[in-house]
């Protein structure tokens, strides 16, 4: 039997496994089975906490479809709550510094990247106002915040068909590693409403890296100044960034329950 914790950040939920206690071989099929909400435990992402030579812990992230990804902001906020102290975390996106605050955590998410081949895109183009769009959406911005994001600023979120446009854009050949799709509606000089179609997970109640990418894109376009409050269906995150610096994300993290499972059954 192996132990796990169920946690969430603004409703973006995780099964968190401490692989420091007992190693577990994680495959795409096993991650997908654990994440299944009908026959498994159920989650948006599966998180493995392990040892690291250059940090307090390491974090591996698997989407509900079993694919491994580089970064997850909401999961990162859960790590200091899971470990019980402030932590430096080794991820595929780099080292992330996570500190506990009342009700959650504040995380230095590192510096965003804007070069077309760092997103990555299939070919060169301006990532602040891309020379590509889909149907009647405006030209988006692209940002890599440890994982790839495309951001559309729209006048009214109620007029966007997320279920149709999300997967269409996620799987477009322009994005060789697929992409997280952010639909953002500015509602003030420091406030954005956001809905995210998450790569490998679909519509989500919250996406921390999506909030970071969207706030950065808004500041780059001079639509607003930081810190920016990003309102997602699950609640609010505060994102602070200045050009040339790193991104600071602050928001809630919640421990729901602990459980045990026989991983050989998955």
């Amino acid at each position: 039997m192996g132990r796990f914790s169920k946690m969430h950040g603004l409703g973006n939920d995780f099964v968190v496994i401490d692989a420091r206690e007992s190693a577990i071989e994680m495959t795409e099929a096993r991650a997908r089975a654990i994440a299944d909400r009908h026959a498994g435990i159920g989650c948006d992402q599966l998180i493995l906490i392990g040892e690291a030579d250059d940090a307090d812990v390491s974090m591996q992230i698997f989407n509900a479809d079993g694919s491994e990804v580089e970064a997850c902001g909401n999961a990162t906020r859960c790590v200091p709550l899971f470990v019980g102290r402030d932590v430096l975390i080794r991820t595929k996106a780099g080292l992330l510094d996570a500190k506990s605050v009342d009700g959650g955590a504040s995380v230095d998410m590192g510096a965003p990247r804007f070069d077309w081949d760092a997103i990555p895109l299939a070919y060169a183009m301006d990532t602040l106002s891309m020379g590509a769009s889909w149907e009647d959406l405006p030209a988006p911005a692209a940002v890599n915040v440890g994982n790839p994001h495309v951001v559309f600023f729209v006048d009214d979120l109620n007029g966007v068909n997320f279920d149709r446009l999300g997967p269409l854009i996620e799987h477009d050949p322009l994005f060789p590693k697929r992409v997280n799709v952010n639909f953002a509606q500015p509602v003030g000089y420091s406030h954005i409403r956001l809905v995210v179609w998450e790569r490998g997970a679909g519509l989500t109640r919250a996406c921390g890296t999506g909030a970071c990418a969207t706030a950065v894109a808004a500041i780059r376009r001079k639509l607003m100044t930081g810190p920016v409050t990003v309102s997602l269906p699950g609640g609010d995150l505060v994102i602070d960034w200045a050009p040339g610096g790193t991104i600071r994300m602050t928001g809630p993290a919640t421990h729901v329950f602990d459980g045990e499972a026989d991983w050989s059954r998955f």
Side-chain angles (χ1 to χ4, degrees):
M1 300 293 289
R3 293 185 56 78
F4 68 90
S5 292
K6 189 71 184 291
M7 309 184 77
H8 75 85
L10 297 180
N12 180 196
D13 64 328
F14 316 104
V15 169
V16 186
I17 300 171
D18 195 339
R20 298 172 301 172
E21 296 181 350
S22 57
I24 173 174
E25 181 185 359
M26 191 55 60
T27 63
E28 182 174 316
R30 174 170 282 173
R32 188 167 56 247
I34 293 170
D36 189 287
R37 295 191 183 277
H38 301 287
I41 299 171
C43 60
D44 290 327
Q45 279 88 24
L46 171 69
I47 309 300
L48 289 186
I49 303 298
E51 302 285 356
D53 294 333
D54 58 349
D56 297 309
V57 295
S58 66
M59 177 172 67
Q60 280 185 279
I61 308 155
F62 297 85
N63 277 335
D65 67 355
S67 59
E68 186 174 359
V69 294
E70 305 90 344
C72 177
N74 288 324
T76 304
R77 293 199 314 279
C78 290
V79 176
L81 182 62
F82 180 82
V83 175
R85 58 186 172 87
D86 297 347
V87 283
L88 185 64
I89 308 164
R90 164 56 67 187
T91 73
K92 283 196 167 185
L95 290 169
L96 303 179
D97 183 31
K99 300 183 183 302
S100 296
V101 299
D102 287 344
S106 182
V107 181
D108 185 334
M109 295 291 292
R113 294 182 291 167
F114 308 112
D115 292 341
W116 69 272
D117 52 349
I119 301 301
L121 303 178
Y123 49 87
M125 69 171 65
D126 179 11
T127 60
L128 182 57
S129 184
M130 294 171 60
S133 192
W134 290 262
E135 300 185 6
D136 58 352
L137 289 171
V143 186
N144 187 302
V145 288
N147 55 3
H149 287 265
V150 63
V151 183
F152 296 88
F153 292 100
V154 300
D155 293 330
D156 184 6
L157 285 174
N158 294 324
V160 179
N161 188 328
F162 310 115
D163 290 320
R164 179 169 54 82
L165 290 169
L168 176 70
I169 298 166
E170 176 193 351
H171 294 279
D172 192 285
L174 179 58
F175 306 104
K177 293 188 177 180
R178 297 188 291 163
V179 74
N180 298 284
V181 188
N182 301 270
F183 303 97
Q185 178 186 337
V187 292
Y189 288 115
S190 59
H191 188 193
I192 299 175
R193 289 180 58 213
L194 179 64
V195 174
V196 182
W197 179 273
E198 192 165 357
R199 177 183 60 167
L203 279 177
T204 182
R205 289 184 55 78
C207 177
T209 57
C212 291
T214 300
V216 165
I219 293 168
R220 285 189 79 208
R221 285 194 175 184
K222 304 188 187 314
L223 299 176
M224 56 191 61
T225 57
V228 177
T229 298
V230 181
S231 295
L232 297 123
D236 292 351
L237 295 172
V238 176
I239 311 299
D240 200 8
W241 176 74
T246 60
I247 307 166
R248 173 64 61 176
M249 173 189 62
T250 304
T254 303
H255 175 264
V256 184
F257 66 87
D258 295 319
E260 290 186 341
D262 181 354
W263 302 127
S264 68
R265 298 176 64 112
F266 293 94

